[in-house]
Each structure stands twice: as structure tokens, then as C-alpha cells.
């Protein structure tokens, strides 16, 4: 992997960790690695081992494809769909409006 690829992987890990409101310390504890390891991964200083990648994707609730390539899989979409099904009707409409807004911004 190139250093640019490692940095992109690190950015995705960091972004998702923050989205979940996890500290580096909490993520390190759940992965059973050092805080320094999490920091190195997020800065793109180290490549991730396969076993840590699998643990990380499970903890962060995303696919390994997302972490490595930035691509969402059908499983990622189904995970979001499952969460959407748990929302109240009002909140579901709110999320739908947000999605429409985001799609409109992409056009």
C-alpha cells in the first residue's frame, strides 16, 4: 500500500470513530491494541493487520471494504436500512428530507 492509501484508510477510521463518539483510548481498548497503534493507523503511519481490520470493522459497524477502499457494500446499506426501520415516522421523514437534500447537492 502506498502512503496516500494508508492516509485515506486512516481518515476513514478516524472519521467513523468520531462519528460513533469513540475516543482513541476506547477504540484501542475494544480492539485490544495500544492507543499508539490506533493513532498510527489514523495518521496512516502503519498498515493494519488482517485480524485487526476484521475487529475494527466489527467495532465501527462498517465493512472492511469501506475501511480499505471507501466503498459501501450491500451489508453497509442494509445496516443503515435496519436503523431506519427503528425510527419513528417523524424522524424517518426528517432523514428522508436530509437524504433528498444531500442528493440535490450532488447534482
Amino acid at each position: 500500500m502506498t502512503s496516500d492509501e494508508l492516509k485515506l484508510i486512516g481518515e476513514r477510521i478516524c472519521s467513523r470513530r468520531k462519528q460513533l463518539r469513540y475516543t482513541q483510548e476506547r477504540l484501542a481498548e475494544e480492539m485490544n491494541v495500544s492507543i499508539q497503534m490506533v493513532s498510527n493507523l489514523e495518521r496512516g503511519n502503519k498498515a493494519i493487520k488482517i485480524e485487526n481490520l476484521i475487529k475494527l470493522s466489527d467495532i465501527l459497524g462498517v465493512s472492511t471494504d469501506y475501511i480499505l477502499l471507501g466503498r459501501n457494500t450491500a451489508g453497509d446499506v442494509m445496516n443503515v436500512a435496519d436503523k431506519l426501520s427503528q425510527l419513528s415516522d417523524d424522524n424517518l421523514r426528517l432523514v428522508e428530507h436530509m437524504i433528498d437534500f444531500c442528493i440535490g447537492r450532488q447534482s
Side-chain angles (χ1 to χ4, degrees), residues 53-80:
L53 174 63
I54 293 167
K55 275 190 219 175
L56 183 62
S57 71
D58 186 48
I59 292 164
L60 297 180
V62 294
S63 67
T64 55
D65 279 4
Y66 175 75
I67 293 171
L68 294 175
L69 306 170
R71 278 190 245 151
N72 290 312
T73 65
D76 294 327
V77 174
M78 291 303 295
N79 187 26
V80 172

Side-chain angles (χ1 to χ4, degrees), residues 9-26:
I9 289 168
E11 288 171 10
R12 286 189 286 274
I13 293 169
C14 181
S15 174
R16 182 63 179 157
R17 174 183 61 78
K18 288 179 178 180
Q19 204 175 38
L20 295 172
R21 295 189 173 123
Y22 281 20
T23 61
Q24 286 186 339
E25 292 82 5
R26 179 175 175 185

Side-chain angles (χ1 to χ4, degrees), residues 23-96:
T23 61
Q24 286 186 339
E25 292 82 5
R26 179 175 175 185
L27 184 57
E29 186 177 299
E30 289 198 28
M31 289 180 65
N32 199 29
V33 298
S34 70
I35 297 166
Q36 186 65 38
M37 172 59 78
V38 171
S39 177
N40 280 328
L41 289 173
E42 289 186 356
R43 288 183 288 134
N45 292 341
K46 287 201 172 219
I48 190 167
K49 293 179 181 179
I50 299 285
E51 60 269 15
N52 287 335
L53 174 63
I54 293 167
K55 275 190 219 175
L56 183 62
S57 71
D58 186 48
I59 292 164
L60 297 180
V62 294
S63 67
T64 55
D65 279 4
Y66 175 75
I67 293 171
L68 294 175
L69 306 170
R71 278 190 245 151
N72 290 312
T73 65
D76 294 327
V77 174
M78 291 303 295
N79 187 26
V80 172
D82 182 51
K83 290 177 183 179
L84 289 173
S85 71
Q86 298 173 37
L87 295 176
S88 68
D89 288 342
D90 288 341
N91 284 336
L92 185 59
R93 277 191 223 94
L94 177 62
V95 170
E96 185 177 10

